[in-house]
Amino acid sequence: METTPRPVTGTLVFRDADEGDVPALVALIESAYRGDSSRTGWTTEADLLQGQRTDPEGVREVIGALGSRLLVVEREGEAVACCQLEHRGPAAYFGMFAVRPGLQGGGLGKAVLAEAERTAREAWAAEEMHMTVISVREDLIAWYERRGYRRTGSMTPFPYGDERFGIPQRPDLEFELLVKPLGG
C-alpha cells in the first residue's frame, strides 16, 4: 500500500542515544532498510540485501565508541530518525542513518542531515562529512548529491560472508565514498 509522505511537523528533538534507546533504534533501522516494512519508504535495501541491517550489539558499539555519537531524533517523545556521527580527524563520518518509512519523503531526512552536518562542524570543527553508500543505490546517491555530496569513485568491498551486514542478493555490491565540504 502506497502512502503519501507526511511533511515534517511538530518539534524535533535531537539528543545522544543511550542504552535505553537500543531496542527502539534497532527496530527503526531495520524498518527503514529491510523486510516488507521498509518498502513503505524509498530507502529500502530489501531487493539488495536480506537478513539484518544491524543488531543490538552494533548499536551499542556506536553508542559507546570514543569519538562517536548516535543521534536520536524524536517527535512527541517517539524516535522517528537516527544517525551516527564519528570524528575522524578533519572529517566526520555519517552513517546508520534511518528515517521511519512512513515519514520518508516529507523533509525529515533533510533536516536530520543538516543537523548532523551542523553538529560535526560545531562539536569537532569537521571540515568535511564522509559517508559510504552502496554504489548501485543511484536514487539514494542522487539524493545526497542534491545536498552537496560528491561521488569520489573510491570503493570499498561489501563484506560478503559477514551476515551481520545482511545477506547480499547480488554479486556486485560495494560501497562508494561520498564527501561534502562543511565550510564554516
Side-chain angles (χ1 to χ4, degrees), residues 22-177:
V22 170
L25 291 176
V26 170
L28 172 65
I29 294 163
E30 292 297 310
S31 74
Y33 291 96
R34 299 289 197 273
D36 288 337
S37 66
S38 70
R39 294 180 194 280
T40 304
W42 67 275
T43 61
T44 185
E45 296 172 343
D47 294 328
L48 301 175
L49 296 156
Q50 294 185 358
Q52 69 179 28
R53 170 73 186 250
T54 193
D55 56 26
E57 294 75 27
V59 173
R60 282 187 192 95
E61 278 181 30
V62 171
I63 291 172
L66 242 80
S68 177
R69 298 174 71 174
L70 185 52
L71 297 180
V72 180
V73 184
E74 294 178 326
R75 187 174 58 201
E76 298 172 6
E78 189 175 358
V80 294
C82 67
C83 69
Q84 168 195 13
L85 291 173
E86 185 179 310
H87 188 201
R88 296 183 178 177
Y93 177 79
F94 178 81
M96 208 173 271
F97 183 30
V99 173
R100 182 175 296 151
L103 300 177
Q104 292 176 15
L108 180 55
K110 184 178 172 181
V112 173
L113 185 60
E115 179 63 14
E117 292 168 356
R118 186 197 66 75
T119 299
R121 267 193 316 273
E122 291 183 7
W124 300 320
E127 299 168 10
E128 290 183 329
M129 186 75 87
H130 292 187
M131 70 175 72
T132 54
V133 178
I134 296 174
S135 63
V136 297
R137 296 289 318 275
E138 295 292 338
D139 54 343
L140 185 57
I141 291 170
W143 187 86
Y144 285 119
E145 287 178 316
R146 289 191 300 275
R147 279 140 195 89
Y149 288 81
R150 66 174 172 75
R151 299 180 87 153
T152 65
S154 177
M155 302 294 188
T156 305
F158 186 86
Y160 284 90
D162 188 343
E163 291 188 8
R164 292 178 304 160
F165 300 100
I167 303 166
Q169 301 301 295
R170 48 191 285 179
D172 61 343
L173 301 182
E174 59 186 347
F175 295 104
E176 182 171 2
L177 175 66

